[in-house]
Coordinates of all heavy atoms in Angstrom, one line a residue:
M438 N -56.7 64.7 77.4 CA -55.8 65.8 77.6 C -55.7 66.8 76.4 O -55.7 68.0 76.6 CB -54.4 65.2 77.9 CG -53.3 66.2 78.2 SD -53.6 67.0 79.7 CE -52.2 68.1 79.8
L439 N -55.7 66.2 75.2 CA -55.7 67.0 74.0 C -56.9 67.9 73.9 O -56.9 69.0 73.4 CB -55.5 66.1 72.8 CG -55.2 66.9 71.5 CD1 -54.0 67.7 71.6 CD2 -55.1 65.9 70.4
E440 N -58.1 67.3 74.3 CA -59.3 68.0 74.2 C -59.3 69.2 75.1 O -59.9 70.3 74.8 CB -60.5 67.1 74.5 CG -60.8 66.1 73.5 CD -60.0 64.8 73.9 OE1 -59.5 64.7 75.0 OE2 -60.0 63.9 73.0
T441 N -58.7 69.1 76.3 CA -58.7 70.2 77.3 C -57.8 71.3 76.7 O -58.1 72.5 76.9 CB -58.1 69.6 78.6 OG1 -58.9 68.5 79.0 CG2 -58.1 70.7 79.7
I442 N -56.7 70.9 76.1 CA -55.8 71.9 75.6 C -56.5 72.7 74.4 O -56.4 73.9 74.3 CB -54.5 71.3 75.1 CG1 -53.7 70.8 76.3 CG2 -53.6 72.3 74.3 CD1 -52.5 69.9 76.0
A443 N -57.2 71.9 73.5 CA -57.9 72.6 72.4 C -59.0 73.5 73.0 O -59.2 74.6 72.4 CB -58.4 71.5 71.5
F444 N -59.7 73.0 74.0 CA -60.8 73.9 74.6 C -60.2 75.1 75.2 O -60.7 76.2 75.0 CB -61.5 73.1 75.6 CG -62.6 73.9 76.3 CD1 -63.8 74.1 75.7 CD2 -62.3 74.5 77.5 CE1 -64.8 74.9 76.3 CE2 -63.3 75.3 78.2 CZ -64.5 75.5 77.5
A445 N -59.1 75.0 75.9 CA -58.5 76.2 76.5 C -58.0 77.2 75.4 O -58.1 78.4 75.6 CB -57.3 75.8 77.4
A446 N -57.4 76.6 74.4 CA -56.9 77.5 73.3 C -58.0 78.3 72.6 O -57.9 79.5 72.4 CB -56.1 76.7 72.3
F447 N -59.1 77.6 72.3 CA -60.2 78.3 71.6 C -61.0 79.1 72.6 O -61.6 80.1 72.2 CB -61.1 77.2 70.9 CG -60.6 76.8 69.6 CD1 -60.0 75.5 69.4 CD2 -60.6 77.7 68.5 CE1 -59.5 75.1 68.2 CE2 -60.1 77.3 67.3 CZ -59.5 76.0 67.2
A448 N -61.0 78.8 73.9 CA -61.6 79.7 74.8 C -60.8 81.0 74.9 O -61.4 82.1 75.0 CB -61.7 79.0 76.2
L449 N -59.5 80.9 74.9 CA -58.6 82.1 74.9 C -58.9 82.9 73.6 O -59.0 84.2 73.7 CB -57.2 81.7 75.0 CG -56.2 82.9 75.1 CD1 -56.4 83.6 76.4 CD2 -54.8 82.3 75.1
V450 N -59.0 82.3 72.5 CA -59.2 83.0 71.2 C -60.6 83.7 71.3 O -60.7 84.9 70.9 CB -59.2 82.0 70.0 CG1 -59.7 82.7 68.8 CG2 -57.8 81.6 69.8
T451 N -61.6 83.0 71.8 CA -62.9 83.6 72.0 C -62.9 84.8 72.9 O -63.5 85.9 72.5 CB -63.9 82.5 72.5 OG1 -63.9 81.4 71.7 CG2 -65.3 83.1 72.6
L452 N -62.3 84.7 74.0 CA -62.3 85.8 75.0 C -61.5 87.0 74.4 O -61.9 88.2 74.6 CB -61.7 85.4 76.3 CG -62.5 84.4 77.1 CD1 -61.8 83.9 78.3 CD2 -63.8 85.1 77.5
L453 N -60.3 86.7 73.8 CA -59.5 87.9 73.3 C -60.2 88.6 72.1 O -60.2 89.8 72.0 CB -58.2 87.4 72.8 CG -57.2 86.9 74.0 CD1 -55.9 86.4 73.4 CD2 -57.0 88.1 74.9
S454 N -60.9 87.8 71.2 CA -61.6 88.4 70.1 C -62.8 89.2 70.6 O -63.1 90.2 70.1 CB -61.9 87.4 69.0 OG -62.7 86.4 69.6
A455 N -63.5 88.6 71.6 CA -64.7 89.4 72.1 C -64.2 90.7 72.8 O -64.9 91.7 72.7 CB -65.4 88.5 73.1
L456 N -63.1 90.6 73.5 CA -62.5 91.8 74.1 C -62.1 92.8 73.0 O -62.3 94.0 73.1 CB -61.3 91.5 74.9 CG -60.7 92.5 75.8 CD1 -61.8 92.9 76.9 CD2 -59.5 92.0 76.5
G457 N -61.6 92.3 71.8 CA -61.3 93.2 70.7 C -62.5 93.8 70.1 O -62.4 95.0 69.6
V458 N -63.6 93.1 70.1 CA -64.9 93.7 69.6 C -65.2 95.0 70.4 O -65.7 96.0 69.8 CB -66.0 92.7 69.6 CG1 -67.3 93.4 69.3 CG2 -65.8 91.6 68.6
V459 N -65.1 94.9 71.7 CA -65.5 96.0 72.6 C -64.4 97.1 72.6 O -64.8 98.3 72.6 CB -65.7 95.4 74.0 CG1 -66.0 96.5 75.0 CG2 -66.8 94.4 74.0
L460 N -63.2 96.8 72.5 CA -62.1 97.8 72.7 C -61.6 98.4 71.4 O -61.0 99.5 71.5 CB -61.0 97.2 73.5 CG -61.3 96.7 74.9 CD1 -60.1 96.1 75.6 CD2 -61.8 97.9 75.7
L461 N -61.7 97.8 70.3 CA -61.2 98.4 69.1 C -62.0 99.6 68.6 O -63.3 99.6 68.7 CB -61.1 97.4 67.9 CG -60.1 96.3 68.1 CD1 -60.2 95.3 67.0 CD2 -58.7 96.9 68.1
E462 N -61.4 100.6 68.2 CA -62.0 101.9 67.8 C -62.6 101.8 66.3 O -63.6 102.4 66.0 CB -61.1 103.1 67.9 CG -60.8 103.4 69.4 CD -59.9 104.5 69.5 OE1 -59.7 105.3 68.5 OE2 -59.4 104.7 70.6
E463 N -61.9 101.1 65.4 CA -62.3 101.0 64.1 C -63.4 100.0 64.0 O -63.3 98.9 64.4 CB -61.1 100.5 63.2 CG -60.0 101.5 63.0 CD -60.5 102.7 62.1 OE1 -61.2 102.4 61.1 OE2 -60.1 103.8 62.3
P464 N -64.6 100.4 63.4 CA -65.7 99.5 63.3 C -65.4 98.3 62.4 O -65.9 97.2 62.6 CB -66.8 100.3 62.7 CG -66.3 101.7 62.5 CD -64.9 101.7 62.9
W465 N -64.6 98.5 61.4 CA -64.3 97.3 60.5 C -63.4 96.3 61.2 O -63.7 95.1 61.1 CB -63.5 97.9 59.3 CG -63.0 96.8 58.4 CD1 -61.8 96.5 58.1 CD2 -63.8 95.8 57.7 NE1 -61.7 95.4 57.2 CE2 -63.0 95.0 57.0 CE3 -65.2 95.6 57.6 CZ2 -63.4 93.9 56.2 CZ3 -65.7 94.6 56.8 CH2 -64.8 93.7 56.1
H466 N -62.5 96.7 62.0 CA -61.7 95.8 62.8 C -62.5 95.1 63.9 O -62.3 93.9 64.2 CB -60.5 96.5 63.4 CG -59.5 97.0 62.4 ND1 -58.8 98.2 62.6 CD2 -59.1 96.5 61.2 CE1 -58.0 98.4 61.6 NE2 -58.2 97.4 60.7
A467 N -63.4 95.8 64.5 CA -64.3 95.2 65.5 C -65.2 94.2 64.8 O -65.5 93.1 65.4 CB -65.2 96.3 66.1
A468 N -65.7 94.4 63.6 CA -66.5 93.4 62.9 C -65.7 92.2 62.5 O -66.2 91.1 62.6 CB -67.0 94.1 61.6
L469 N -64.4 92.4 62.2 CA -63.6 91.2 61.9 C -63.3 90.4 63.2 O -63.3 89.2 63.2 CB -62.2 91.6 61.3 CG -62.3 92.1 59.9 CD1 -60.9 92.6 59.5 CD2 -62.8 91.1 59.0
M470 N -63.2 91.1 64.3 CA -63.0 90.4 65.6 C -64.3 89.6 66.0 O -64.2 88.5 66.5 CB -62.6 91.4 66.7 CG -61.2 91.8 66.7 SD -60.1 90.5 67.1 CE -59.1 90.4 65.7
L471 N -65.4 90.2 65.6 CA -66.7 89.5 65.9 C -66.8 88.2 65.0 O -67.3 87.2 65.5 CB -67.9 90.4 65.5 CG -69.3 89.9 65.7 CD1 -69.5 89.5 67.2 CD2 -70.3 90.8 65.2
G472 N -66.3 88.3 63.8 CA -66.3 87.1 63.0 C -65.4 86.0 63.6 O -65.7 84.8 63.6
V473 N -64.2 86.4 64.1 CA -63.3 85.4 64.8 C -64.0 84.8 66.0 O -63.9 83.6 66.2 CB -62.0 86.1 65.1 CG1 -61.1 85.2 66.0 CG2 -61.2 86.5 63.9
A474 N -64.7 85.7 66.8 CA -65.3 85.2 68.0 C -66.5 84.2 67.6 O -66.6 83.1 68.3 CB -65.9 86.4 68.8
L475 N -67.2 84.5 66.6 CA -68.3 83.6 66.2 C -67.8 82.3 65.6 O -68.4 81.2 65.9 CB -69.2 84.3 65.2 CG -70.0 85.5 65.8 CD1 -70.8 86.2 64.6 CD2 -71.0 85.0 66.8
M476 N -66.7 82.4 64.9 CA -66.1 81.1 64.4 C -65.6 80.3 65.5 O -65.7 79.0 65.4 CB -65.0 81.5 63.4 CG -65.5 82.0 62.1 SD -66.5 80.9 61.1 CE -65.2 79.9 60.4
S477 N -65.0 80.9 66.5 CA -64.4 80.1 67.6 C -65.5 79.5 68.4 O -65.4 78.4 69.0 CB -63.4 80.9 68.4 OG -64.1 82.0 69.0
I478 N -66.7 80.1 68.5 CA -67.8 79.5 69.2 C -68.3 78.4 68.4 O -68.7 77.3 69.0 CB -68.9 80.6 69.4 CG1 -68.4 81.6 70.5 CG2 -70.2 80.0 69.9 CD1 -69.3 82.8 70.7
A479 N -68.3 78.4 67.1 CA -68.7 77.3 66.3 C -67.7 76.1 66.5 O -68.2 74.9 66.5 CB -68.7 77.7 64.8
V480 N -66.4 76.4 66.7 CA -65.5 75.3 67.1 C -65.9 74.7 68.4 O -65.8 73.4 68.6 CB -64.1 75.8 67.1 CG1 -63.1 74.8 67.6 CG2 -63.6 76.3 65.7
H481 N -66.3 75.5 69.4 CA -66.8 74.9 70.6 C -67.9 74.0 70.4 O -68.0 72.9 71.1 CB -67.1 76.0 71.6 CG -66.0 76.8 72.2 ND1 -65.1 76.2 73.1 CD2 -65.5 78.0 72.0 CE1 -64.2 77.1 73.4 NE2 -64.4 78.2 72.8
F482 N -68.9 74.4 69.6 CA -70.0 73.5 69.3 C -69.6 72.2 68.7 O -70.1 71.1 69.0 CB -71.0 74.2 68.4 CG -71.9 75.2 69.1 CD1 -72.1 76.4 68.5 CD2 -72.4 75.0 70.3 CE1 -72.9 77.4 69.1 CE2 -73.2 75.9 70.9 CZ -73.4 77.1 70.3
V483 N -68.6 72.2 67.8 CA -68.0 71.0 67.2 C -67.4 70.1 68.3 O -67.6 68.9 68.2 CB -67.0 71.3 66.1 CG1 -66.3 70.1 65.6 CG2 -67.7 72.0 64.9
M484 N -66.7 70.7 69.2 CA -66.1 69.9 70.3 C -67.2 69.3 71.2 O -66.9 68.3 71.8 CB -65.2 70.8 71.1 CG -63.8 71.1 70.5 SD -62.7 71.8 71.6 CE -62.9 73.5 71.3
L485 N -68.3 69.9 71.2 CA -69.4 69.3 72.0 C -70.3 68.3 71.2 O -71.3 67.9 71.7 CB -70.3 70.4 72.5 CG -69.8 71.3 73.6 CD1 -70.7 72.5 73.8 CD2 -69.6 70.5 74.9
A486 N -69.8 68.0 70.0 CA -70.5 67.0 69.1 C -71.9 67.6 68.6 O -72.8 66.8 68.5 CB -70.6 65.7 69.7
A487 N -72.0 68.9 68.5 CA -73.2 69.5 68.0 C -72.9 70.1 66.6 O -72.8 71.4 66.5 CB -73.7 70.5 69.0
E488 N -72.6 69.3 65.6 CA -72.2 69.8 64.3 C -73.3 70.6 63.6 O -73.0 71.6 63.0 CB -71.8 68.6 63.4 CG -70.5 67.9 63.9 CD -70.7 66.9 64.9 OE1 -71.9 66.5 65.2 OE2 -69.7 66.3 65.5
F489 N -74.5 70.2 63.8 CA -75.6 71.0 63.2 C -75.7 72.4 63.7 O -75.8 73.4 63.0 CB -77.0 70.3 63.3 CG -78.1 71.0 62.7 CD1 -78.3 71.0 61.4 CD2 -79.0 71.7 63.5 CE1 -79.3 71.7 60.8 CE2 -80.0 72.4 63.0 CZ -80.2 72.4 61.6
V490 N -75.6 72.5 65.0 CA -75.6 73.9 65.6 C -74.4 74.7 65.2 O -74.5 75.9 64.9 CB -75.7 73.7 67.2 CG1 -75.7 75.1 67.8 CG2 -76.9 72.9 67.6
A491 N -73.2 74.0 65.0 CA -72.0 74.7 64.6 C -72.2 75.2 63.1 O -71.9 76.4 62.8 CB -70.8 73.8 64.6
M492 N -72.8 74.4 62.3 CA -73.1 74.9 60.9 C -74.1 76.0 60.8 O -73.9 76.9 60.0 CB -73.5 73.7 60.0 CG -72.4 72.7 59.7 SD -71.0 73.5 59.0 CE -71.6 74.2 57.5
M493 N -75.1 75.9 61.7 CA -76.1 77.0 61.7 C -75.4 78.3 62.3 O -75.8 79.4 61.8 CB -77.3 76.6 62.6 CG -78.2 75.6 62.0 SD -78.9 76.1 60.4 CE -77.9 75.2 59.2
Q494 N -74.5 78.1 63.2 CA -73.8 79.3 63.7 C -73.0 80.0 62.6 O -73.0 81.2 62.5 CB -72.8 78.8 64.8 CG -71.8 79.8 65.3 CD -72.4 80.7 66.4 OE1 -73.4 80.4 67.0 NE2 -71.7 81.8 66.7
I495 N -72.3 79.2 61.8 CA -71.5 79.7 60.7 C -72.4 80.3 59.6 O -72.2 81.4 59.2 CB -70.6 78.6 60.1 CG1 -69.5 78.2 61.1 CG2 -70.0 79.1 58.8 CD1 -68.7 77.1 60.8
L496 N -73.5 79.6 59.2 CA -74.3 80.1 58.2 C -75.1 81.3 58.6 O -75.2 82.3 57.8 CB -75.3 79.0 57.7 CG -74.7 77.9 56.9 CD1 -75.8 76.8 56.7 CD2 -74.2 78.4 55.6
V497 N -75.7 81.3 59.7 CA -76.6 82.4 60.1 C -75.8 83.6 60.6 O -76.0 84.7 60.2 CB -77.6 82.0 61.2 CG1 -78.4 83.1 61.7 CG2 -78.5 80.9 60.6
Y498 N -74.9 83.4 61.6 CA -74.3 84.5 62.2 C -73.1 85.0 61.4 O -73.0 86.2 61.1 CB -73.8 84.1 63.7 CG -75.0 84.0 64.6 CD1 -75.4 82.8 65.1 CD2 -75.6 85.2 65.0 CE1 -76.4 82.7 66.0 CE2 -76.7 85.1 65.9 CZ -77.1 83.8 66.3 OH -78.2 83.7 67.2
V499 N -72.2 84.1 61.1 CA -71.0 84.6 60.3 C -71.4 84.9 58.9 O -71.0 86.0 58.4 CB -69.9 83.5 60.3 CG1 -68.7 84.0 59.5 CG2 -69.5 83.2 61.7
G500 N -72.3 84.1 58.3 CA -72.7 84.4 56.9 C -73.6 85.5 56.8 O -73.6 86.3 55.8
G501 N -74.6 85.7 57.7 CA -75.6 86.6 57.5 C -75.4 87.9 58.3 O -75.3 89.0 57.7
V502 N -75.2 87.8 59.6 CA -75.1 89.0 60.4 C -73.8 89.7 60.2 O -73.8 91.0 60.1 CB -75.2 88.6 61.9 CG1 -74.9 89.7 62.8 CG2 -76.6 88.0 62.2
L503 N -72.7 89.0 60.0 CA -71.4 89.7 59.8 C -71.4 90.4 58.4 O -70.9 91.5 58.3 CB -70.3 88.7 59.9 CG -68.9 89.3 60.1 CD1 -68.9 90.1 61.4 CD2 -67.9 88.2 60.1
V504 N -72.1 89.8 57.4 CA -72.2 90.5 56.1 C -73.0 91.7 56.2 O -72.7 92.8 55.7 CB -72.7 89.5 55.0 CG1 -73.1 90.3 53.8 CG2 -71.7 88.4 54.7
L505 N -74.1 91.7 57.0 CA -74.9 92.8 57.2 C -74.2 93.9 58.0 O -74.2 95.1 57.6 CB -76.2 92.4 58.1 CG -77.1 93.6 58.4 CD1 -77.8 94.1 57.1 CD2 -78.2 93.1 59.4
I506 N -73.4 93.6 59.0 CA -72.5 94.6 59.7 C -71.5 95.2 58.7 O -71.2 96.4 58.7 CB -71.9 93.9 60.9 CG1 -72.9 93.6 61.9 CG2 -70.8 94.8 61.5 CD1 -72.4 92.8 63.1
T507 N -70.9 94.3 57.8 CA -69.9 94.8 56.9 C -70.6 95.9 56.0 O -70.0 96.9 55.7 CB -69.4 93.7 56.1 OG1 -68.8 92.7 57.0 CG2 -68.3 94.1 55.1
F508 N -71.7 95.6 55.4 CA -72.4 96.6 54.6 C -72.8 97.8 55.3 O -72.7 98.9 54.8 CB -73.7 95.9 53.9 CG -73.4 95.0 52.8 CD1 -74.1 93.8 52.7 CD2 -72.4 95.3 51.9 CE1 -73.8 93.0 51.6 CE2 -72.1 94.4 50.8 CZ -72.8 93.3 50.7
A509 N -73.2 97.7 56.6 CA -73.6 98.9 57.4 C -72.3 99.7 57.6 O -72.4 101.0 57.5 CB -74.2 98.4 58.7
V510 N -71.2 99.1 57.9 CA -70.0 99.9 58.1 C -69.5 100.6 56.8 O -69.1 101.7 56.8 CB -68.8 98.9 58.6 CG1 -67.5 99.6 58.6 CG2 -69.2 98.5 60.1
M511 N -69.6 99.9 55.7 CA -69.2 100.5 54.4 C -70.1 101.6 54.0 O -69.6 102.6 53.5 CB -69.2 99.4 53.3 CG -68.0 98.4 53.5 SD -67.8 97.3 52.0 CE -69.4 96.9 51.6
L512 N -71.4 101.5 54.3 CA -72.3 102.5 53.8 C -72.4 103.7 54.8 O -72.8 104.8 54.4 CB -73.7 101.9 53.7 CG -73.9 100.9 52.6 CD1 -75.3 100.3 52.6 CD2 -73.6 101.6 51.2
T513 N -72.0 103.6 56.0 CA -72.1 104.7 57.0 C -70.8 105.4 57.3 O -70.8 106.4 58.0 CB -72.7 104.2 58.3 OG1 -71.9 103.2 58.8 CG2 -74.1 103.7 58.1
Q514 N -69.7 104.9 56.7 CA -68.5 105.7 57.0 C -68.4 106.9 56.2 O -68.7 106.9 55.0 CB -67.3 104.8 56.7 CG -67.1 103.7 57.7 CD -65.7 103.3 57.9 OE1 -64.8 103.7 57.2 NE2 -65.4 102.5 58.9
R515 N -68.1 108.0 56.8 CA -68.0 109.3 56.1 C -66.5 109.6 55.8 O -65.6 109.1 56.5 CB -68.5 110.4 57.0 CG -67.8 110.6 58.3 CD -68.4 111.6 59.1 NE -67.6 111.8 60.3 CZ -67.8 112.7 61.2 NH1 -68.8 113.5 61.1 NH2 -67.0 112.7 62.3
D516 N -66.3 110.3 54.8 CA -64.9 110.7 54.4 C -64.5 111.9 55.2 O -65.1 112.9 55.3 CB -64.9 111.1 52.9 CG -65.2 109.9 52.0 OD1 -64.9 108.8 52.4 OD2 -65.7 110.1 50.9
E517 N -63.3 111.7 55.9 CA -62.8 112.8 56.7 C -62.0 113.7 55.7 O -61.3 113.2 54.8 CB -61.8 112.2 57.7 CG -62.5 111.4 58.8 CD -63.3 112.2 59.7 OE1 -63.0 113.4 59.9 OE2 -64.3 111.7 60.2
P518 N -62.1 115.0 55.8 CA -61.3 115.9 55.0 C -59.9 115.8 55.3 O -59.5 115.7 56.5 CB -61.9 117.3 55.3 CG -62.5 117.2 56.6 CD -63.0 115.7 56.7
T519 N -59.0 115.8 54.3 CA -57.6 115.8 54.5 C -57.1 117.2 54.9 O -57.9 118.2 54.8 CB -56.9 115.4 53.2 OG1 -57.2 116.3 52.2 CG2 -57.3 114.0 52.8
S520 N -55.9 117.3 55.3 CA -55.4 118.6 55.8 C -55.3 119.6 54.6 O -55.4 120.8 54.8 CB -54.0 118.4 56.4 OG -53.1 117.8 55.5
E521 N -55.0 119.1 53.4 CA -55.0 120.0 52.2 C -56.3 120.6 51.9 O -56.4 121.8 51.6 CB -54.5 119.2 51.0 CG -53.0 118.8 51.2 CD -52.6 117.9 50.0 OE1 -53.4 117.7 49.1 OE2 -51.4 117.4 50.0
E522 N -57.4 119.8 52.1 CA -58.7 120.3 51.8 C -59.2 121.3 52.9 O -59.9 122.3 52.6 CB -59.8 119.2 51.8 CG -59.6 118.2 50.6 CD -60.5 117.0 50.7 OE1 -61.2 116.9 51.7 OE2 -60.5 116.2 49.7
V523 N -58.7 121.2 54.1 CA -59.1 122.1 55.2 C -58.4 123.4 54.9 O -58.9 124.5 55.1 CB -58.7 121.5 56.5 CG1 -58.9 122.5 57.6 CG2 -59.5 120.3 56.8
V524 N -57.1 123.4 54.5 CA -56.4 124.6 54.3 C -56.9 125.4 53.1 O -57.0 126.6 53.1 CB -54.9 124.3 54.0 CG1 -54.1 125.5 53.6 CG2 -54.3 123.6 55.3
Q525 N -57.4 124.7 52.0 CA -57.9 125.4 50.9 C -59.2 126.1 51.1 O -59.5 127.1 50.5 CB -58.1 124.4 49.7 CG -56.7 123.9 49.2 CD -56.9 122.9 48.1 OE1 -58.1 122.5 47.8 NE2 -55.8 122.4 47.6
T526 N -60.0 125.7 52.0 CA -61.3 126.3 52.2 C -61.3 127.5 53.2 O -60.4 127.8 53.9 CB -62.3 125.3 52.8 OG1 -61.9 124.7 54.0 CG2 -62.6 124.3 51.7

C-alpha cells in the first residue's frame, strides 16, 4: 500500500513538472522543472530496484544535460532595455 502511494505521489510530481517544462515562459524556470522531472524519474527507477539506471539517470541527464541547458540559457539571454534607456535614446 505504501509503495502505491509513493508511486502515485512521484507520478504526480513527474507529470506536473513535465507540464511546467512545456508551459513556463522563462527558460530558466523550465530548466529547473526539467531537473525535477528527471530526478523524479530516477526515483521511479529506484522503486523498480534499478539503482544503477537511477544513478546513470542522475549523473548523465541531471548532471550533464541540465548543466548544458543552464549554460545555454545563461549565454543566450539578451538584456532587455529598461524604460529609462528607451526614453533617453
Side-chain angles (χ1 to χ4, degrees):
M438 179 69 180
L439 187 61
E440 294 91 10
T441 305
I442 294 171
F444 177 80
F447 280 106
L449 183 65
V450 168
T451 304
L452 289 175
L453 290 178
S454 59
L456 193 62
V458 170
V459 175
L460 295 179
L461 288 174
E462 293 181 11
E463 290 288 324
W465 175 244
H466 293 148
L469 289 177
M470 285 290 123
L471 179 64
V473 171
L475 292 173
M476 290 293 284
S477 63
I478 290 172
V480 171
H481 286 289
F482 284 136
V483 169
M484 283 194 264
L485 290 171
E488 289 86 8
F489 179 75
V490 179
M492 287 308 298
M493 289 300 104
Q494 171 86 15
I495 291 171
L496 287 174
V497 172
Y498 288 109
V499 179
V502 174
L503 198 59
V504 168
L505 180 66
I506 290 172
T507 302
F508 284 139
V510 167
M511 288 189 318
L512 291 174
T513 58
Q514 287 210 352
R515 60 181 184 176
D516 292 331
E517 296 289 329
T519 61
S520 60
E521 295 173 3
E522 292 175 353
V523 173
V524 172
Q525 291 177 357
T526 58

